[in-house]
């Protein structure tokens, strides 16, 4: 970081660092980036401050000498050649960027029966082999689904059986276990140990005599995020998956990667679908999720949300904690067409309010399990038993869970009719701020016209709601706000002599003066 900051001094040397006069990128604004280093020497480590001398070389390029605060040498660069880059070439892709120019990403797409070329029983009339000691596990799951399967302890045992006259199996399955849920440390191991075991398995398989017509399916569980809302639960075997991908490039058709759900066994339909895909022989990497077989594909990233398949029952959630840039639309079956419970209403959402709680949830710092989208405005499309005063077609605003989607289900007591003349956007901005202010002023403080109330941060959402509700109750309002927002507070009816800064404790004297010391 210090060296990078030191190089900024080179901007004072106009044009220095050019290797040749015709090296320039062209007309327009440009920035120079390091291209080639030579004669770099590090004399000391641990410096927290650098004194730097940057000079233009006689043959082009820059030289640099840096010392610490005491003048002792830290680092020197004999020559640094820079190259110009147009500023426009460094601009990040925005909403108007062309998707074909974006870098590839990966996505997992469901395979249909037409894309899986195996026969209906998935085995093409030949048996499968499962490698590994211990409990039947995967072998039992395959057998229960009707796949002809036998077991061998390892590749050597299978090779010996084939040498003795056994038929070569079409598919050989070997599960690589890390330290995922339910397996414990004893069943898996550290990253180096697990990867070494996976490497040994692949090497032994590729070196085995007489098995050239078979494919090895390397099975992991919960080792890949195969779609929206899916998470990696076994990071230990990730190294094995990367290793197998490299081996697939060197030995096409001999190796298949298959990731199964981390928890729970495979149902018969999922096993048959997996067997059909593997028998087809065209998919090098698949995953099984919710009974479906997904295949890994390279794809251009989409600009905007990718809406899940279905009838429109989805909601917005953080795809991963800690970033507002990774929001995703995930299935929301709870909002679907099923029967409503007692006291519930289904609302077709027309607008949703965004509040600070939603931001905290998206950043992964909100305590406990919570769902974004608590403020909605929309149209009632259905009511449950016991709901009175609301019917389908009513325009309502209120509170919900998972309101960032086209449809949500909430308690009928949490919604009220939208006032005449209000837009859905206006209505969606009201619920949380006004419910919070009402609870504070009326339910807790029981405010009356004889009261004087101090409202701090009166220019915020809850603050403005509190000012309006206090004035509605006839109470006198004293308010704080930052100097730049005090005009907004005054425009809401708070007298100028009752407004003070929220940036310091001076509001005490302002309010004493305004109330005659009261």
């Amino acid at each position: 970081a210090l060296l990078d900051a030191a190089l900024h001094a080179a901007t004072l040397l106009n044009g220095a660092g050019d290797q040749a006069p015709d090296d320039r990128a062209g007309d327009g604004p440009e920035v120079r980036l390091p291209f080639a280093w030579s004669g770099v020497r590090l004399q000391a480590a641990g410096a927290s401050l650098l004194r730097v001398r940057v000079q233009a070389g006689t043959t082009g390029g820059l030289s640099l000498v840096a010392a610490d605060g005491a003048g002792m040498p830290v680092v020197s660069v004999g020559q640094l050649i820079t190259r110009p880059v147009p500023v426009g070439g460094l601009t990040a892709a925005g909403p108007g960027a062309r998707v074909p120019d974006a870098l590839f990403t990966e996505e997992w797409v469901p395979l249909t029966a037409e894309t899986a070329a195996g026969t209906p029983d998935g085995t093409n009339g030949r048996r499968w082999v499962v490698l590994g000691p211990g409990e039947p596990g995967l072998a039992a799951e395959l057998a229960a689904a009707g796949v002809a399967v036998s077991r061998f302890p390892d590749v050597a045992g299978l090779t010996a059986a084939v040498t003795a006259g056994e038929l070569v199996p079409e598919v050989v399955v070997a599960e690589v276990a890390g330290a995922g849920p339910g397996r414990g440390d004893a069943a898996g191991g550290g990253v180096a140990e697990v990867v070494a075991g996976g490497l040994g398995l692949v090497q032994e398989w590729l070196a085995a005599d007489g098995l050239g017509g078979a494919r090895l399916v390397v099975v992991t569980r919960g080792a890949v995020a195969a779609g929206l809302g899916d998470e990696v639960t076994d990071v230990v075997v990730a190294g094995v998956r990367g290793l197998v991908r490299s081996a697939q490039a060197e030995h096409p058709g001999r190796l298949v990667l298959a990731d199964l759900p981390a928890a729970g066994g495979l149902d018969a339909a999922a096993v048959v679908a997996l067997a059909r895909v593997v028998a087809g022989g065209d998919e090098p990497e698949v995953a099984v999720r919710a009974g479906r077989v997904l295949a890994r594909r390279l794809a251009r990233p989409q600009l905007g949300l990718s809406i899940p398949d279905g009838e429109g029952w989805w909601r917005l959630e953080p795809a991963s904690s800690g970033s507002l840039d990774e929001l995703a639309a995930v299935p929301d079956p709870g909002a679907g067409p099923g029967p409503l419970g007692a006291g519930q209403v289904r609302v077709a959402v027309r607008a949703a309010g965004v509040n600070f709680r939603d931001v905290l949830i998206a950043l992964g710092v909100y305590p406990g399990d919570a769902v974004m989208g608590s403020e909605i405005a929309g149209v009632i499309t259905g009511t449950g038993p016991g709901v009175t005063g609301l019917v389908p077609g009513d325009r309502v605003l209120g509170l919900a869970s998972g309101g960032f989607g086209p449809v949500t289900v909430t308690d009928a007591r949490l919604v009220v009719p939208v006032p005449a003349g209000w837009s859905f956007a206006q209505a969606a901005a009201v619920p949380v701020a006004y419910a919070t202010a009402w609870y504070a002023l009326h339910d807790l403080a029981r405010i009356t016209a004889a009261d004087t109330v101090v409202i701090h941060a009166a220019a915020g959402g809850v603050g403005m709601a509190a000012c309006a509700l206090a004035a509605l109750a006839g109470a006198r309002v004293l308010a704080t706000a930052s100097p730049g927002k005090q005009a907004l507070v005054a425009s809401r009816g708070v007298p100028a002599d009752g407004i003070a800064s929220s940036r310091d404790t001076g509001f005490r004297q302002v309010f004493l003066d305004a109330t005659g010391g009261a």
Side-chain angles (χ1 to χ4, degrees):
L2 280 174
L3 184 60
D4 177 73
L7 292 176
H8 293 181
T11 59
L12 302 176
L13 302 174
N14 188 26
D18 291 353
Q19 190 171 26
D22 59 356
D23 180 38
R24 296 188 174 277
D27 298 332
E30 60 186 28
V31 63
R32 305 201 63 83
L33 299 180
F35 174 70
W37 304 75
S38 60
V40 180
R41 295 181 59 195
L42 183 67
Q43 287 94 358
S48 60
L49 176 148
L50 292 181
R51 293 178 176 273
V52 183
R53 182 179 68 192
V54 181
Q55 292 180 301
T58 57
T59 60
L62 306 170
S63 63
L64 179 148
V65 177
D68 61 18
M72 300 302 294
V74 176
V75 64
S76 61
V77 178
Q79 186 179 54
L80 169 60
I81 302 298
T82 63
R83 290 284 177 86
V85 176
V87 171
L90 302 177
T91 304
R98 292 178 296 162
V99 175
D101 291 340
L103 293 176
F104 279 107
T105 184
E106 73 171 31
E107 65 179 20
W108 292 83
V109 299
L111 293 175
T112 63
E114 289 74 19
T115 59
T119 56
D121 68 354
T123 65
N124 288 339
R126 302 173 70 180
R127 64 189 176 89
W128 285 32
V129 165
V130 173
L131 300 180
E135 295 297 324
L138 184 58
E141 293 176 302
L142 291 169
V147 177
V149 61
S150 56
R151 294 174 56 207
F152 287 89
D154 50 32
V155 175
L158 173 61
T159 302
V162 170
T163 302
E166 290 251 9
L167 291 176
V168 176
E170 179 190 5
V171 176
V172 178
V173 182
E175 182 170 356
V176 177
R183 290 201 292 270
D185 293 337
V191 174
E193 181 182 351
V194 172
V195 172
L199 174 61
L201 169 67
V202 172
Q203 288 177 328
E204 187 178 9
W205 170 259
L206 295 174
D209 293 330
L211 300 178
R215 285 188 299 280
L216 175 66
V217 180
V218 180
V219 173
T220 58
R221 294 185 186 255
V224 67
L228 295 175
D230 199 19
E231 294 184 354
V232 175
T233 57
D234 195 341
V235 298
V236 175
V237 297
V240 176
R241 296 183 62 82
L243 182 151
V244 173
R245 287 197 192 108
S246 296
Q248 285 175 327
E250 300 174 7
H251 303 272
R254 296 292 315 278
L255 300 163
V256 178
L257 275 169
D259 191 77
L260 308 184
L266 293 173
D267 58 31
V271 171
V272 171
L274 177 61
R276 181 189 293 271
V277 170
V278 172
D282 296 327
E283 295 294 341
E285 187 170 356
V286 296
V288 178
R289 295 293 185 272
R292 299 191 305 173
V293 180
L294 311 174
R296 183 170 175 262
R297 296 285 188 267
L298 285 179
R300 300 285 188 184
Q302 296 182 357
L303 299 183
L305 288 175
S306 176
I307 305 302
D309 296 333
E311 299 297 327
W313 319 115
W314 58 269
R315 66 171 182 250
L316 198 63
E317 283 190 358
S320 62
S321 297
S323 173
L324 291 172
D325 295 327
E326 297 185 18
L327 300 179
V330 302
D332 185 13
L340 294 169
Q344 290 185 325
V345 293
R346 181 174 287 114
V347 181
V349 179
R350 296 291 184 265
V354 181
N355 54 53
F356 193 52
R357 176 179 179 271
D358 297 318
V359 176
L360 295 179
I361 294 172
L363 294 177
V365 294
Y366 192 83
D369 295 329
V371 179
M372 295 193 304
S374 54
E375 301 182 82
I376 62 163
V379 178
I380 297 285
T381 61
T383 60
V387 175
T388 59
L390 294 171
V391 296
D394 284 350
R395 301 168 78 247
V396 295
L397 65 89
L399 305 176
S401 177
F404 290 166
V407 181
T408 189
V409 173
T410 189
D411 192 310
R413 296 169 295 180
L414 299 181
V415 297
V416 296
V418 175
W422 283 25
S423 69
F424 284 119
Q426 288 173 312
V430 166
V432 166
Y434 275 84
T436 302
W438 183 277
Y439 179 69
L441 294 176
H442 288 273
D443 294 338
L444 296 182
R446 302 190 183 279
I447 191 172
T448 69
D451 291 321
T452 298
V453 58
V454 174
I455 299 174
H456 287 287
V462 175
M464 288 191 289
C467 287
L469 293 178
L472 185 65
R476 181 181 183 183
V477 174
L478 304 174
T480 69
S482 62
K485 298 178 181 178
Q486 291 180 4
L488 173 64
V489 177
S491 71
R492 298 305 175 101
V494 180
D497 63 353
I499 303 175
S501 175
S502 60
R503 299 302 190 206
D504 53 53
T505 58
F507 64 83
R508 176 181 184 275
Q509 191 60 49
V510 173
F511 294 160
L512 283 172
D513 294 342
T515 61

